Amino acid sequence: QEQLEESGGGSVQAGGSLTLSCVVSRSFSSIYTDYCMGWFRQSPEKEREEVAHIDFGTRNTYYADSVKGRFTISTDNNKNTLYLQMNNLEPADGAMYYCATAWRPCGSGYPLTPTNFPAWGQGTQVTVSS
């Protein structure tokens, strides 16, 4: 089982930006296809929800409607790292953010659930003040 480690969380004011990183213990050079990487978030008393995912093979991406146009998911294959660039943050974006991976294609543009991902990081906290 690969290990995932998130970083980059913090406290910002509404309208600010943060970039989350997720370092994967597996070398991306060993991956050619059938690998899905995602970001989820969870607030207290709420279910964990998917924010975005990217298919490593096709490079297709998916974004939740609530973050579309503000967040960007990407990878740096030389650094074995998944990113989530978050711009124009809103108080509702405040949550614990988790990265997750799965050895399967992401599928075609529909949201995925936490049960689709067997590997998870420990999370990084994002707080957005109004």
Side-chain angles (χ1 to χ4, degrees):
Q1 186 85 335
E2 58 205 28
Q3 305 300 312
L4 312 178
E5 184 172 358
E6 304 96 335
S7 62
S11 297
V12 296
Q13 291 189 326
S17 298
L18 284 173
T19 299
L20 306 183
S21 301
C22 172
V23 179
V24 181
S25 61
R26 182 183 304 276
S27 171
F28 284 7
S29 64
S30 68
I31 303 169
Y32 296 97
T33 187
D34 293 350
Y35 192 65
C36 186
M37 309 181 72
W39 285 98
F40 287 75
R41 66 187 181 188
Q42 187 168 18
S43 302
E45 302 181 354
K46 291 187 177 180
E47 292 186 355
R48 191 168 296 189
E49 63 173 356
E50 186 182 39
V51 175
H53 66 242
I54 182 167
D55 188 291
F56 195 87
T58 66
R59 310 307 294 177
N60 289 337
T61 57
Y62 163 86
Y63 295 94
D65 288 342
S66 58
V67 306
K68 202 172 293 183
R70 301 187 297 121
F71 290 12
T72 303
I73 189 170
S74 64
T75 66
D76 184 331
N77 294 352
N78 292 324
K79 297 182 178 179
N80 307 327
T81 301
L82 173 72
Y83 297 101
L84 185 69
Q85 172 69 43
M86 306 186 295
N87 297 326
N88 194 20
L89 283 160
E90 304 169 353
D93 295 317
M96 184 71 80
Y97 282 72
Y98 300 89
C99 62
T101 61
W103 286 93
R104 48 153 286 172
C106 289
S108 300
Y110 53 83
L112 298 173
T113 66
T115 57
N116 294 122
F117 293 87
W120 291 85
Q122 294 301 306
T124 186
Q125 181 69 44
V126 172
T127 303
V128 184
S129 58
S130 58

